[in-house]
Amino acid sequence: MSVPDERKPLTLPRLSDMQRRGEKISMLTAYDATFAAMADAAGVDCLLVGDSLGMVCQGLPSTVGVVLETMRYHTESVSRGLDRVQGKAWLIADLPFGSYQESREQALTSATVLMQAGAHMVKLEGGGWTTDTVRFLVERGIPVCAHLGLTPQTVHALGGYRVQGKGSEAAGLLRRDALALQDAGAAMLVLEMVPAALAADLTGELDRCITIGIGAGRGTDGQVLVLHDMLGINLGRMPKFVRNFMADAPGIAPALASYVRAVKDGSFPDDQLHAW
Ligand code: KIV
C-alpha cells in the first residue's frame, strides 16, 4: 500500500510563509520528467529548469547558446514528470539569453511560452535594467525570479565565472539592484557567487522577496544547486561551493533526500564551501 503524500503543492504564499518562519527552501535544477519526479518525491520544494541545460544536456560551452524553444521543450518535460506523480514542487523556468533583452513585449511573449509549457514562474538575469521588464511581467500575472551576482548569460562581459559583489562599491550596486527588483515585484531572487555576508545582509533587508543562494553562503532563505553537480556527474570543473551528495549515499533517491535534509537543517552549505 502506498503512503499518502501529505505535502501540499508549493505556491508563492506557502513559500513566503516558509521564508517568514525561517524554514529553508530547497531548490534543484531539473531538465527531464524522471529526475523531476524523483526530486519531487525527495521533497525538493522548487525545481528550476535552468538554462544550465545548455551545458548539462546540450554540451554547450556556456548558457549563451540556449534558445527559447529548447527551454520550452525541457519545461514541458519537467512539468509532465511532475503531473505524472502529482508533484508538489514550484516550477521555475529560465528565460534564455536573447529572449527578453530587447523589450518588455519580447519578454512577455517569451515568458508566455514557458508559462504555457507548465512553468509557475520565470527567471531572468540582470540588475537595474531589468526592473521595467520585471514590473511589466508581474503586472500581467507572471511571477518573476530575478538573478544577481554571477549571471552566467553575461559571462563574457564579466570576464569569467568570478565572485561578484566584492568591495563596497560592487556590494552597494548589488544591494540597490536587489531592492529595485523587489520594488518591481520580483518574488524571488537568486544570488550566485556573492560574498556570504552580503547575501545574508540582503536576505535580512528584503521582506517581500525570497533569496535563494548558490555559492552565496548559508544566510539566504534557500539554496539551489545544479542537479548533475550535486550528484557528482559534472562533465567540467566542479564549482568550489558544490557538495557531492552521492559520495555518501547508496543511490540517487537517498542523495536527493540528503540534499533536502542538509538545506533544511542548515548543514549545507558549510563555511568551507564558500570562503569568499
Ligand atoms: O541555469 C541554472 O541552472 C541557474 C542556477 C545555477 C541558479 O540559473
Side-chain angles (χ1 to χ4, degrees):
M1 199 176 72
S2 65
V3 181
D5 185 351
E6 301 298 344
R7 285 166 71 223
K8 294 201 174 100
L10 271 300
T11 58
L12 270 186
R14 287 212 174 94
L15 290 164
S16 299
D17 191 48
M18 287 165 76
Q19 176 195 33
R20 262 190 304 277
R21 287 188 284 106
E23 178 181 343
K24 296 280 183 187
I25 294 167
S26 58
M27 186 188 293
L28 278 179
T29 64
Y31 314 112
D32 66 34
T34 305
F35 272 111
M38 286 187 80
D40 187 79
V44 176
D45 298 310
C46 303
L47 293 180
L48 168 66
V49 186
D51 59 358
S52 50
L53 64 80
M55 285 129 111
V56 173
C57 305
Q58 296 181 279
L60 294 169
S62 76
T63 59
V64 176
V66 178
V67 297
L68 185 62
E69 172 52 21
T70 308
M71 292 307 302
R72 187 202 62 74
Y73 173 89
H74 285 276
T75 302
E76 230 173 49
S77 305
V78 167
S79 175
R80 278 196 294 255
L82 288 177
D83 285 349
R84 284 271 295 271
V85 296
Q86 292 176 303
K88 308 293 189 288
W90 176 252
L91 180 55
I92 305 158
D94 264 339
L95 284 168
F97 183 67
S99 75
Y100 61 95
Q101 284 88 347
E102 203 175 293
S103 65
R104 308 179 310 180
E105 289 73 17
Q106 184 205 24
L108 178 60
T109 304
S110 304
T112 302
V113 169
L114 298 183
M115 298 298 282
Q116 289 181 338
H120 303 137
M121 173 180 243
V122 297
K123 176 163 84 60
L124 51 79
E125 297 183 6
W129 69 271
T130 66
T131 52
D132 267 0
T133 301
V134 170
R135 185 171 290 106
F136 191 72
L137 296 180
V138 171
E139 282 171 351
R140 280 152 186 78
I142 299 178
V144 177
C145 174
H147 186 154
L148 291 175
L150 171 64
T151 45
Q153 292 176 8
T154 45
V155 62
H156 301 304
L158 295 175
Y161 296 97
R162 299 157 184 268
V163 181
Q164 303 294 314
K166 271 172 126 175
S168 58
E169 201 176 316
L173 180 61
L174 210 138
R175 184 172 167 275
R176 276 197 299 282
D177 283 347
L179 292 170
L181 286 160
Q182 170 176 265
D183 284 347
M188 210 179 259
L189 168 65
V190 167
L191 291 169
E192 181 162 357
M193 283 184 76
V194 301
L198 175 60
D201 284 353
L202 282 175
T203 300
E205 280 182 62
L206 299 171
D207 53 352
R208 285 167 286 123
C209 187
I210 296 162
T211 60
I212 304 288
I214 172 162
R218 50 166 41 139
T220 47
D221 297 317
Q223 298 290 329
V224 61
L225 282 179
V226 168
L227 175 72
H228 293 57
D229 288 352
M230 56 77 72
L231 293 178
I233 50 174
N234 178 319
L235 282 179
R237 200 163 51 86
M238 196 63 87
K240 186 174 160 207
F241 53 79
V242 172
R243 182 186 298 170
N244 176 359
F245 285 85
M246 275 298 278
D248 299 314
I252 292 172
L256 296 171
S258 155
Y259 169 72
V260 174
R261 266 196 313 277
V263 171
K264 298 276 175 196
D265 69 18
S267 58
F268 176 80
D270 58 37
D271 292 333
Q272 279 80 51
L273 289 173
H274 48 82
W276 42 78

